Amino acid sequence: MKLMIRLSLIFLASCAHQNRSISTLSCKVGAQEGCQRNEVCMNNVTGPACIAIPQIAPLQNLVLPFDSRTEVVCTHSSGEGSHSWPNAFYALDLANHYNKPAATVRASGDGKAFVFLGVDGKLCPKPAGSPAHAESSTCGNSWGNNIKILHEGGYATFYVHLEKVLVKTGDFVKQGQPIGIEGWTGAAGHRHLHWSVQRIGGMTSSEWEQHISWDGQSVPFTFQAIVKGQKQIINSADLICPHFDIGNGISESQQPHLTGVLSR
């Protein structure tokens, strides 16, 4: 009897270990403390959970999705607030200065465009407010008007909260090509571009294309940008942007300033 109880306990412990990534754990979202090596705490449907850190996207030569005349402020980086979920964990929020017109968003790499709008294929309307403080809406599943550009290996760059869309589904776009205008559609709270790289695991590019509207897994990625006058290669997981709650505006002096590398 004692042996059976002991074996049962070992079995339960083994199952608990194997299911760590989908179990509610006492970990702090965005931190690795309380998780095993190569895991990080993310929000999950059941609460905070330790989830395996995904491999960095093998996409080469991605660039900041703005041209060299556009300086943006990074207002939100990984692991906090809305970026604490697996589909947005390594995303960056990038905002053009509020006293300037909305910036043109450009493709950060070559690929095939997929456009997602609001209801019945119509543009999500811009919620009431101003660039610094706007209402939120659930249009477009809260992403607002958004575009995914499919690249090799089943990875896609993701461009969210657009006011206008300048491409259509099926277009093959080149790096630096205008694809949209920065906005605050969906659950944005202020004018900015939510930008990330996503992957749907276990699928080839052709399979991924059939399910492109699915929320993929946000993965860390590298890109080129100008920082303090110097061209740098930046890892999205390493860029720390002090997070201000949606609608509270930007304290620009405390945020990283990035400029595009492509001349247009």
Side-chain angles (χ1 to χ4, degrees), residues 69-102:
R69 296 170 297 184
T70 304
E71 183 182 63
V72 294
V73 179
C74 182
T75 67
H76 192 173
S77 51
S78 67
E80 294 190 66
S82 60
H83 295 190
S84 62
W85 297 85
N87 64 358
F89 195 86
Y90 297 99
L92 301 175
D93 285 353
L94 306 168
N96 191 28
H97 301 273
Y98 292 151
N99 60 353
K100 296 181 180 179

PDB file of all heavy atoms in Angstrom, residues 69-102:
ATOM      1  N   ARG A  69      13.696  59.830 -42.031  1.00  0.00           N
ATOM      2  CA  ARG A  69      13.216  61.158 -41.626  1.00  0.00           C
ATOM      3  C   ARG A  69      12.277  61.084 -40.429  1.00  0.00           C
ATOM      4  O   ARG A  69      11.815  62.111 -39.944  1.00  0.00           O
ATOM      5  CB  ARG A  69      12.498  61.836 -42.802  1.00  0.00           C
ATOM      6  CG  ARG A  69      13.396  62.122 -43.996  1.00  0.00           C
ATOM      7  CD  ARG A  69      12.592  62.567 -45.199  1.00  0.00           C
ATOM      8  NE  ARG A  69      11.694  61.505 -45.646  1.00  0.00           N
ATOM      9  CZ  ARG A  69      10.931  61.591 -46.733  1.00  0.00           C
ATOM     10  NH1 ARG A  69      10.954  62.694 -47.471  1.00  0.00           N
ATOM     11  NH2 ARG A  69      10.139  60.596 -47.073  1.00  0.00           N
ATOM     12  N   THR A  70      11.973  59.869 -39.986  1.00  0.00           N
ATOM     13  CA  THR A  70      10.983  59.678 -38.928  1.00  0.00           C
ATOM     14  C   THR A  70      11.649  59.156 -37.669  1.00  0.00           C
ATOM     15  O   THR A  70      12.222  58.062 -37.663  1.00  0.00           O
ATOM     16  CB  THR A  70       9.890  58.691 -39.376  1.00  0.00           C
ATOM     17  OG1 THR A  70       9.303  59.155 -40.584  1.00  0.00           O
ATOM     18  CG2 THR A  70       8.816  58.556 -38.308  1.00  0.00           C
ATOM     19  N   GLU A  71      11.584  59.935 -36.598  1.00  0.00           N
ATOM     20  CA  GLU A  71      12.055  59.481 -35.294  1.00  0.00           C
ATOM     21  C   GLU A  71      10.852  59.083 -34.461  1.00  0.00           C
ATOM     22  O   GLU A  71       9.878  59.833 -34.353  1.00  0.00           O
ATOM     23  CB  GLU A  71      12.830  60.587 -34.579  1.00  0.00           C
ATOM     24  CG  GLU A  71      13.401  60.138 -33.230  1.00  0.00           C
ATOM     25  CD  GLU A  71      14.119  61.267 -32.500  1.00  0.00           C
ATOM     26  OE1 GLU A  71      13.440  62.260 -32.150  1.00  0.00           O
ATOM     27  OE2 GLU A  71      15.327  61.156 -32.284  1.00  0.00           O
ATOM     28  N   VAL A  72      10.907  57.904 -33.889  1.00  0.00           N
ATOM     29  CA  VAL A  72       9.807  57.422 -33.061  1.00  0.00           C
ATOM     30  C   VAL A  72      10.296  57.185 -31.640  1.00  0.00           C
ATOM     31  O   VAL A  72      11.492  57.012 -31.391  1.00  0.00           O
ATOM     32  CB  VAL A  72       9.189  56.126 -33.627  1.00  0.00           C
ATOM     33  CG1 VAL A  72       8.506  56.385 -34.954  1.00  0.00           C
ATOM     34  CG2 VAL A  72      10.226  55.022 -33.763  1.00  0.00           C
ATOM     35  N   VAL A  73       9.350  57.159 -30.731  1.00  0.00           N
ATOM     36  CA  VAL A  73       9.627  56.907 -29.323  1.00  0.00           C
ATOM     37  C   VAL A  73       9.077  55.528 -28.975  1.00  0.00           C
ATOM     38  O   VAL A  73       7.946  55.199 -29.332  1.00  0.00           O
ATOM     39  CB  VAL A  73       8.971  57.982 -28.441  1.00  0.00           C
ATOM     40  CG1 VAL A  73       9.243  57.711 -26.965  1.00  0.00           C
ATOM     41  CG2 VAL A  73       9.453  59.369 -28.826  1.00  0.00           C
ATOM     42  N   CYS A  74       9.868  54.706 -28.320  1.00  0.00           N
ATOM     43  CA  CYS A  74       9.403  53.396 -27.876  1.00  0.00           C
ATOM     44  C   CYS A  74       8.683  53.552 -26.544  1.00  0.00           C
ATOM     45  O   CYS A  74       9.294  53.919 -25.535  1.00  0.00           O
ATOM     46  CB  CYS A  74      10.573  52.425 -27.745  1.00  0.00           C
ATOM     47  SG  CYS A  74      10.062  50.763 -27.252  1.00  0.00           S
ATOM     48  N   THR A  75       7.384  53.289 -26.536  1.00  0.00           N
ATOM     49  CA  THR A  75       6.576  53.522 -25.343  1.00  0.00           C
ATOM     50  C   THR A  75       6.258  52.260 -24.542  1.00  0.00           C
ATOM     51  O   THR A  75       5.728  52.347 -23.445  1.00  0.00           O
ATOM     52  CB  THR A  75       5.243  54.188 -25.726  1.00  0.00           C
ATOM     53  OG1 THR A  75       4.451  53.260 -26.498  1.00  0.00           O
ATOM     54  CG2 THR A  75       5.466  55.439 -26.549  1.00  0.00           C
ATOM     55  N   HIS A  76       6.559  51.085 -25.098  1.00  0.00           N
ATOM     56  CA  HIS A  76       6.144  49.851 -24.426  1.00  0.00           C
ATOM     57  C   HIS A  76       6.946  48.705 -25.018  1.00  0.00           C
ATOM     58  O   HIS A  76       7.001  48.544 -26.232  1.00  0.00           O
ATOM     59  CB  HIS A  76       4.642  49.636 -24.671  1.00  0.00           C
ATOM     60  CG  HIS A  76       4.004  48.581 -23.827  1.00  0.00           C
ATOM     61  ND1 HIS A  76       2.639  48.363 -23.821  1.00  0.00           N
ATOM     62  CD2 HIS A  76       4.522  47.689 -22.956  1.00  0.00           C
ATOM     63  CE1 HIS A  76       2.347  47.379 -22.992  1.00  0.00           C
ATOM     64  NE2 HIS A  76       3.476  46.955 -22.454  1.00  0.00           N
ATOM     65  N   SER A  77       7.591  47.928 -24.168  1.00  0.00           N
ATOM     66  CA  SER A  77       8.378  46.787 -24.638  1.00  0.00           C
ATOM     67  C   SER A  77       7.844  45.512 -24.002  1.00  0.00           C
ATOM     68  O   SER A  77       6.679  45.425 -23.632  1.00  0.00           O
ATOM     69  CB  SER A  77       9.866  47.003 -24.341  1.00  0.00           C
ATOM     70  OG  SER A  77      10.080  47.346 -22.985  1.00  0.00           O
ATOM     71  N   SER A  78       8.691  44.490 -23.894  1.00  0.00           N
ATOM     72  CA  SER A  78       8.210  43.146 -23.583  1.00  0.00           C
ATOM     73  C   SER A  78       7.842  42.947 -22.120  1.00  0.00           C
ATOM     74  O   SER A  78       8.408  43.557 -21.220  1.00  0.00           O
ATOM     75  CB  SER A  78       9.266  42.112 -23.982  1.00  0.00           C
ATOM     76  OG  SER A  78      10.409  42.240 -23.167  1.00  0.00           O
ATOM     77  N   GLY A  79       6.863  42.069 -21.930  1.00  0.00           N
ATOM     78  CA  GLY A  79       6.595  41.516 -20.615  1.00  0.00           C
ATOM     79  C   GLY A  79       5.716  42.308 -19.679  1.00  0.00           C
ATOM     80  O   GLY A  79       5.486  41.891 -18.558  1.00  0.00           O
ATOM     81  N   GLU A  80       5.183  43.448 -20.123  1.00  0.00           N
ATOM     82  CA  GLU A  80       4.344  44.252 -19.238  1.00  0.00           C
ATOM     83  C   GLU A  80       2.994  44.529 -19.879  1.00  0.00           C
ATOM     84  O   GLU A  80       2.883  44.650 -21.101  1.00  0.00           O
ATOM     85  CB  GLU A  80       5.015  45.588 -18.913  1.00  0.00           C
ATOM     86  CG  GLU A  80       6.280  45.478 -18.094  1.00  0.00           C
ATOM     87  CD  GLU A  80       6.742  46.847 -17.601  1.00  0.00           C
ATOM     88  OE1 GLU A  80       6.028  47.460 -16.791  1.00  0.00           O
ATOM     89  OE2 GLU A  80       7.792  47.301 -18.053  1.00  0.00           O
ATOM     90  N   GLY A  81       1.968  44.667 -19.023  1.00  0.00           N
ATOM     91  CA  GLY A  81       0.652  45.059 -19.503  1.00  0.00           C
ATOM     92  C   GLY A  81       0.153  44.159 -20.615  1.00  0.00           C
ATOM     93  O   GLY A  81       0.168  42.933 -20.516  1.00  0.00           O
ATOM     94  N   SER A  82      -0.287  44.770 -21.711  1.00  0.00           N
ATOM     95  CA  SER A  82      -0.818  43.995 -22.838  1.00  0.00           C
ATOM     96  C   SER A  82       0.254  43.181 -23.527  1.00  0.00           C
ATOM     97  O   SER A  82      -0.045  42.291 -24.328  1.00  0.00           O
ATOM     98  CB  SER A  82      -1.487  44.936 -23.849  1.00  0.00           C
ATOM     99  OG  SER A  82      -0.555  45.880 -24.343  1.00  0.00           O
ATOM    100  N   HIS A  83       1.532  43.449 -23.234  1.00  0.00           N
ATOM    101  CA  HIS A  83       2.630  42.683 -23.813  1.00  0.00           C
ATOM    102  C   HIS A  83       3.082  41.551 -22.888  1.00  0.00           C
ATOM    103  O   HIS A  83       4.213  41.092 -22.981  1.00  0.00           O
ATOM    104  CB  HIS A  83       3.822  43.594 -24.119  1.00  0.00           C
ATOM    105  CG  HIS A  83       3.549  44.607 -25.179  1.00  0.00           C
ATOM    106  ND1 HIS A  83       4.538  45.380 -25.738  1.00  0.00           N
ATOM    107  CD2 HIS A  83       2.398  44.988 -25.790  1.00  0.00           C
ATOM    108  CE1 HIS A  83       4.003  46.205 -26.637  1.00  0.00           C
ATOM    109  NE2 HIS A  83       2.711  45.978 -26.673  1.00  0.00           N
ATOM    110  N   SER A  84       2.210  41.111 -22.028  1.00  0.00           N
ATOM    111  CA  SER A  84       2.560  40.021 -21.125  1.00  0.00           C
ATOM    112  C   SER A  84       1.974  38.690 -21.580  1.00  0.00           C
ATOM    113  O   SER A  84       2.159  37.678 -20.918  1.00  0.00           O
ATOM    114  CB  SER A  84       2.064  40.332 -19.704  1.00  0.00           C
ATOM    115  OG  SER A  84       0.643  40.456 -19.680  1.00  0.00           O
ATOM    116  N   TRP A  85       1.277  38.701 -22.725  1.00  0.00           N
ATOM    117  CA  TRP A  85       0.655  37.493 -23.258  1.00  0.00           C
ATOM    118  C   TRP A  85       1.539  36.885 -24.338  1.00  0.00           C
ATOM    119  O   TRP A  85       2.299  37.594 -25.009  1.00  0.00           O
ATOM    120  CB  TRP A  85      -0.728  37.814 -23.820  1.00  0.00           C
ATOM    121  CG  TRP A  85      -1.672  38.305 -22.769  1.00  0.00           C
ATOM    122  CD1 TRP A  85      -1.806  39.579 -22.315  1.00  0.00           C
ATOM    123  CD2 TRP A  85      -2.596  37.522 -22.014  1.00  0.00           C
ATOM    124  NE1 TRP A  85      -2.755  39.651 -21.323  1.00  0.00           N
ATOM    125  CE2 TRP A  85      -3.264  38.405 -21.116  1.00  0.00           C
ATOM    126  CE3 TRP A  85      -2.927  36.162 -22.010  1.00  0.00           C
ATOM    127  CZ2 TRP A  85      -4.234  37.958 -20.231  1.00  0.00           C
ATOM    128  CZ3 TRP A  85      -3.912  35.736 -21.121  1.00  0.00           C
ATOM    129  CH2 TRP A  85      -4.551  36.610 -20.253  1.00  0.00           C
ATOM    130  N   PRO A  86       1.451  35.575 -24.581  1.00  0.00           N
ATOM    131  CA  PRO A  86       2.335  34.931 -25.553  1.00  0.00           C
ATOM    132  C   PRO A  86       2.248  35.497 -26.972  1.00  0.00           C
ATOM    133  O   PRO A  86       3.219  35.451 -27.715  1.00  0.00           O
ATOM    134  CB  PRO A  86       1.873  33.463 -25.524  1.00  0.00           C
ATOM    135  CG  PRO A  86       1.334  33.271 -24.143  1.00  0.00           C
ATOM    136  CD  PRO A  86       0.661  34.571 -23.812  1.00  0.00           C
ATOM    137  N   ASN A  87       1.093  36.070 -27.366  1.00  0.00           N
ATOM    138  CA  ASN A  87       0.978  36.573 -28.737  1.00  0.00           C
ATOM    139  C   ASN A  87       1.517  37.992 -28.898  1.00  0.00           C
ATOM    140  O   ASN A  87       1.501  38.537 -30.011  1.00  0.00           O
ATOM    141  CB  ASN A  87      -0.478  36.510 -29.224  1.00  0.00           C
ATOM    142  CG  ASN A  87      -1.414  37.416 -28.440  1.00  0.00           C
ATOM    143  OD1 ASN A  87      -1.006  38.084 -27.507  1.00  0.00           O
ATOM    144  ND2 ASN A  87      -2.677  37.415 -28.814  1.00  0.00           N
ATOM    145  N   ALA A  88       1.995  38.599 -27.808  1.00  0.00           N
ATOM    146  CA  ALA A  88       2.512  39.971 -27.902  1.00  0.00           C
ATOM    147  C   ALA A  88       3.707  40.210 -26.991  1.00  0.00           C
ATOM    148  O   ALA A  88       4.131  41.353 -26.817  1.00  0.00           O
ATOM    149  CB  ALA A  88       1.402  40.976 -27.560  1.00  0.00           C
ATOM    150  N   PHE A  89       4.276  39.152 -26.416  1.00  0.00           N
ATOM    151  CA  PHE A  89       5.262  39.314 -25.353  1.00  0.00           C
ATOM    152  C   PHE A  89       6.488  40.110 -25.794  1.00  0.00           C
ATOM    153  O   PHE A  89       7.018  40.925 -25.029  1.00  0.00           O
ATOM    154  CB  PHE A  89       5.703  37.927 -24.850  1.00  0.00           C
ATOM    155  CG  PHE A  89       6.429  37.968 -23.541  1.00  0.00           C
ATOM    156  CD1 PHE A  89       5.735  37.955 -22.349  1.00  0.00           C
ATOM    157  CD2 PHE A  89       7.814  38.009 -23.491  1.00  0.00           C
ATOM    158  CE1 PHE A  89       6.404  37.990 -21.126  1.00  0.00           C
ATOM    159  CE2 PHE A  89       8.490  38.041 -22.281  1.00  0.00           C
ATOM    160  CZ  PHE A  89       7.786  38.038 -21.092  1.00  0.00           C
ATOM    161  N   TYR A  90       6.958  39.915 -27.015  1.00  0.00           N
ATOM    162  CA  TYR A  90       8.173  40.590 -27.481  1.00  0.00           C
ATOM    163  C   TYR A  90       7.874  41.749 -28.434  1.00  0.00           C
ATOM    164  O   TYR A  90       8.759  42.212 -29.152  1.00  0.00           O
ATOM    165  CB  TYR A  90       9.108  39.570 -28.149  1.00  0.00           C
ATOM    166  CG  TYR A  90       9.576  38.502 -27.184  1.00  0.00           C
ATOM    167  CD1 TYR A  90       8.969  37.249 -27.156  1.00  0.00           C
ATOM    168  CD2 TYR A  90      10.590  38.752 -26.265  1.00  0.00           C
ATOM    169  CE1 TYR A  90       9.370  36.276 -26.253  1.00  0.00           C
ATOM    170  CE2 TYR A  90      10.998  37.785 -25.362  1.00  0.00           C
ATOM    171  CZ  TYR A  90      10.393  36.553 -25.365  1.00  0.00           C
ATOM    172  OH  TYR A  90      10.790  35.593 -24.462  1.00  0.00           O
ATOM    173  N   ALA A  91       6.640  42.213 -28.429  1.00  0.00           N
ATOM    174  CA  ALA A  91       6.244  43.325 -29.297  1.00  0.00           C
ATOM    175  C   ALA A  91       6.803  44.646 -28.792  1.00  0.00           C
ATOM    176  O   ALA A  91       7.137  44.791 -27.604  1.00  0.00           O
ATOM    177  CB  ALA A  91       4.722  43.404 -29.387  1.00  0.00           C
ATOM    178  N   LEU A  92       6.874  45.620 -29.689  1.00  0.00           N
ATOM    179  CA  LEU A  92       7.281  46.979 -29.345  1.00  0.00           C
ATOM    180  C   LEU A  92       6.183  47.947 -29.791  1.00  0.00           C
ATOM    181  O   LEU A  92       5.629  47.799 -30.883  1.00  0.00           O
ATOM    182  CB  LEU A  92       8.592  47.344 -30.051  1.00  0.00           C
ATOM    183  CG  LEU A  92       9.809  46.470 -29.754  1.00  0.00           C
ATOM    184  CD1 LEU A  92      10.981  46.891 -30.636  1.00  0.00           C
ATOM    185  CD2 LEU A  92      10.195  46.553 -28.281  1.00  0.00           C
ATOM    186  N   ASP A  93       5.886  48.927 -28.948  1.00  0.00           N
ATOM    187  CA  ASP A  93       4.997  50.029 -29.326  1.00  0.00           C
ATOM    188  C   ASP A  93       5.858  51.228 -29.678  1.00  0.00           C
ATOM    189  O   ASP A  93       6.678  51.673 -28.857  1.00  0.00           O
ATOM    190  CB  ASP A  93       4.043  50.384 -28.181  1.00  0.00           C
ATOM    191  CG  ASP A  93       2.918  49.372 -28.019  1.00  0.00           C
ATOM    192  OD1 ASP A  93       2.797  48.470 -28.879  1.00  0.00           O
ATOM    193  OD2 ASP A  93       2.163  49.486 -27.035  1.00  0.00           O
ATOM    194  N   LEU A  94       5.673  51.752 -30.880  1.00  0.00           N
ATOM    195  CA  LEU A  94       6.496  52.837 -31.404  1.00  0.00           C
ATOM    196  C   LEU A  94       5.590  53.995 -31.817  1.00  0.00           C
ATOM    197  O   LEU A  94       4.669  53.809 -32.619  1.00  0.00           O
ATOM    198  CB  LEU A  94       7.301  52.354 -32.606  1.00  0.00           C
ATOM    199  CG  LEU A  94       8.155  51.100 -32.370  1.00  0.00           C
ATOM    200  CD1 LEU A  94       8.666  50.548 -33.696  1.00  0.00           C
ATOM    201  CD2 LEU A  94       9.315  51.411 -31.426  1.00  0.00           C
ATOM    202  N   ALA A  95       5.847  55.187 -31.289  1.00  0.00           N
ATOM    203  CA  ALA A  95       4.977  56.332 -31.541  1.00  0.00           C
ATOM    204  C   ALA A  95       5.758  57.494 -32.128  1.00  0.00           C
ATOM    205  O   ALA A  95       6.814  57.869 -31.603  1.00  0.00           O
ATOM    206  CB  ALA A  95       4.293  56.772 -30.245  1.00  0.00           C
ATOM    207  N   ASN A  96       5.231  58.058 -33.222  1.00  0.00           N
ATOM    208  CA  ASN A  96       5.771  59.307 -33.735  1.00  0.00           C
ATOM    209  C   ASN A  96       5.409  60.427 -32.764  1.00  0.00           C
ATOM    210  O   ASN A  96       4.409  60.347 -32.044  1.00  0.00           O
ATOM    211  CB  ASN A  96       5.177  59.590 -35.119  1.00  0.00           C
ATOM    212  CG  ASN A  96       5.872  60.726 -35.836  1.00  0.00           C
ATOM    213  OD1 ASN A  96       7.056  60.976 -35.593  1.00  0.00           O
ATOM    214  ND2 ASN A  96       5.162  61.401 -36.710  1.00  0.00           N
ATOM    215  N   HIS A  97       6.217  61.465 -32.713  1.00  0.00           N
ATOM    216  CA  HIS A  97       5.953  62.560 -31.780  1.00  0.00           C
ATOM    217  C   HIS A  97       4.562  63.140 -32.021  1.00  0.00           C
ATOM    218  O   HIS A  97       4.158  63.351 -33.171  1.00  0.00           O
ATOM    219  CB  HIS A  97       7.035  63.631 -31.931  1.00  0.00           C
ATOM    220  CG  HIS A  97       8.418  63.096 -31.664  1.00  0.00           C
ATOM    221  ND1 HIS A  97       8.974  63.054 -30.410  1.00  0.00           N
ATOM    222  CD2 HIS A  97       9.331  62.534 -32.494  1.00  0.00           C
ATOM    223  CE1 HIS A  97      10.191  62.516 -30.475  1.00  0.00           C
ATOM    224  NE2 HIS A  97      10.423  62.187 -31.726  1.00  0.00           N
ATOM    225  N   TYR A  98       3.832  63.409 -30.957  1.00  0.00           N
ATOM    226  CA  TYR A  98       2.435  63.785 -31.069  1.00  0.00           C
ATOM    227  C   TYR A  98       2.219  65.127 -31.758  1.00  0.00           C
ATOM    228  O   TYR A  98       1.143  65.400 -32.276  1.00  0.00           O
ATOM    229  CB  TYR A  98       1.794  63.818 -29.679  1.00  0.00           C
ATOM    230  CG  TYR A  98       1.664  62.469 -29.026  1.00  0.00           C
ATOM    231  CD1 TYR A  98       1.681  62.349 -27.648  1.00  0.00           C
ATOM    232  CD2 TYR A  98       1.527  61.307 -29.791  1.00  0.00           C
ATOM    233  CE1 TYR A  98       1.555  61.108 -27.038  1.00  0.00           C
ATOM    234  CE2 TYR A  98       1.406  60.071 -29.192  1.00  0.00           C
ATOM    235  CZ  TYR A  98       1.420  59.976 -27.809  1.00  0.00           C
ATOM    236  OH  TYR A  98       1.296  58.752 -27.213  1.00  0.00           O
ATOM    237  N   ASN A  99       3.224  65.991 -31.770  1.00  0.00           N
ATOM    238  CA  ASN A  99       3.070  67.287 -32.435  1.00  0.00           C
ATOM    239  C   ASN A  99       3.370  67.204 -33.927  1.00  0.00           C
ATOM    240  O   ASN A  99       3.413  68.227 -34.610  1.00  0.00           O
ATOM    241  CB  ASN A  99       3.965  68.337 -31.773  1.00  0.00           C
ATOM    242  CG  ASN A  99       5.435  67.994 -31.826  1.00  0.00           C
ATOM    243  OD1 ASN A  99       5.801  66.901 -32.254  1.00  0.00           O
ATOM    244  ND2 ASN A  99       6.285  68.903 -31.378  1.00  0.00           N
ATOM    245  N   LYS A 100       3.574  65.989 -34.432  1.00  0.00           N
ATOM    246  CA  LYS A 100       3.828  65.772 -35.854  1.00  0.00           C
ATOM    247  C   LYS A 100       2.704  64.934 -36.447  1.00  0.00           C
ATOM    248  O   LYS A 100       1.984  64.233 -35.727  1.00  0.00           O
ATOM    249  CB  LYS A 100       5.175  65.073 -36.054  1.00  0.00           C
ATOM    250  CG  LYS A 100       6.361  65.906 -35.596  1.00  0.00           C
ATOM    251  CD  LYS A 100       7.673  65.162 -35.855  1.00  0.00           C
ATOM    252  CE  LYS A 100       8.868  66.008 -35.398  1.00  0.00           C
ATOM    253  NZ  LYS A 100      10.152  65.290 -35.631  1.00  0.00           N
ATOM    254  N   PRO A 101       2.544  64.992 -37.760  1.00  0.00           N
ATOM    255  CA  PRO A 101       1.506  64.159 -38.388  1.00  0.00           C
ATOM    256  C   PRO A 101       1.779  62.680 -38.165  1.00  0.00           C
ATOM    257  O   PRO A 101       2.910  62.267 -37.890  1.00  0.00           O
ATOM    258  CB  PRO A 101       1.616  64.527 -39.878  1.00  0.00           C
ATOM    259  CG  PRO A 101       2.318  65.842 -39.913  1.00  0.00           C
ATOM    260  CD  PRO A 101       3.241  65.843 -38.731  1.00  0.00           C
ATOM    261  N   ALA A 102       0.737  61.877 -38.314  1.00  0.00           N
ATOM    262  CA  ALA A 102       0.902  60.419 -38.199  1.00  0.00           C
ATOM    263  C   ALA A 102       1.947  59.947 -39.195  1.00  0.00           C
ATOM    264  O   ALA A 102       1.997  60.396 -40.342  1.00  0.00           O
ATOM    265  CB  ALA A 102      -0.427  59.728 -38.460  1.00  0.00           C
TER     266      ALA A 102
END
